[in-house]
Amino acid sequence: MEIFKYLSNDIKENIINKSKFKFIDLEEIRIRNNKKIILKFSQKEEIIQYTVTTKDILETLEKITENSVYSYEKQISNGFITLPEGHRIGITGHAVCEEEKVISISYISGMNFRIARQIKDCSEFILQKLYEKKEIKNSLIVGAPGTGKTTILKDLIQKISDGNSYGERRNSWSSRRKK
């Protein structure tokens, strides 16, 4: 899996050599300092019998930030880093605050890798509802973590930007794009 290139060599080797499940179903990789690795699959979790070290956390952080932690400081202060492939990595540690706002995270002690997946046409039903009266209705996408909010939103954006919408808007968008 492409996500493995961001993990420390020891973590990567232990996951590849010790996991009993197919990585196609992998949704999350949880690593915490001095704890076992947890892999979350679509229907189950697996604990990898390897204790994550501070060295593993630092090596992983260096790979994620391309050896430039400071250039990712704003993302880190927001609590996560988004990778070019769309994967998100939640970061835990000690929050450094200034005027009641987190300005950075120090002593990073854990990371949660959320693996992005594209599910084509998952927004079809929602898109039909948005265009019921030939206008986009105000909408809010709500759901528990891991239920596909971002996946649906990305599919909606793709469909709308490609002109794959409904009713009169489809014709007006298509004609504007051709000009």
Side-chain angles (χ1 to χ4, degrees), residues 24-149:
I24 190 102
D25 296 328
L26 186 61
E27 293 178 354
E28 292 183 13
I29 301 170
R30 300 177 190 148
I31 60 172
R32 294 179 298 165
N33 198 25
N34 296 317
K35 304 282 185 188
K36 306 292 184 207
I37 302 166
I38 299 175
L39 304 179
K40 183 182 181 296
F41 295 89
S42 54
Q43 300 294 320
K44 55 204 160 285
E45 286 188 356
E46 179 180 25
I47 298 173
I48 302 296
Q49 295 302 314
Y50 172 77
T51 303
V52 175
T53 65
T54 302
K55 178 183 169 276
D56 289 320
I57 297 287
L58 292 174
E59 185 181 335
T60 300
L61 186 62
E62 286 173 358
K63 288 183 176 192
I64 293 166
T65 61
E66 303 167 280
N67 294 314
S68 180
V69 175
Y70 294 108
S71 65
Y72 285 82
E73 195 168 1
K74 183 167 175 46
Q75 286 188 62
I76 292 170
S77 69
N78 288 327
F80 66 93
I81 294 174
T82 303
L83 298 174
E85 301 89 356
H87 310 298
R88 284 182 283 178
I89 302 159
I91 298 174
T92 59
H94 290 98
V96 178
C97 298
E98 192 173 279
E99 296 179 17
E100 297 184 23
K101 185 178 179 186
V102 176
I103 59 168
S104 71
I105 297 177
S106 63
Y107 305 107
I108 293 173
S109 59
M111 297 177 206
N112 183 33
F113 288 72
R114 298 278 312 268
I115 297 162
R117 297 215 186 325
Q118 181 180 12
I119 302 174
K120 290 189 181 257
D121 299 327
C122 65
S123 67
E124 193 68 29
F125 175 76
I126 294 170
L127 196 57
Q128 289 175 16
K129 292 292 183 187
L130 288 173
Y131 283 106
E132 273 183 352
K133 296 182 180 178
K134 298 182 181 173
E135 63 180 321
I136 296 178
K137 298 177 181 179
N138 290 335
S139 303
L140 181 64
I141 299 174
V142 180
T147 56
K149 298 177 297 294

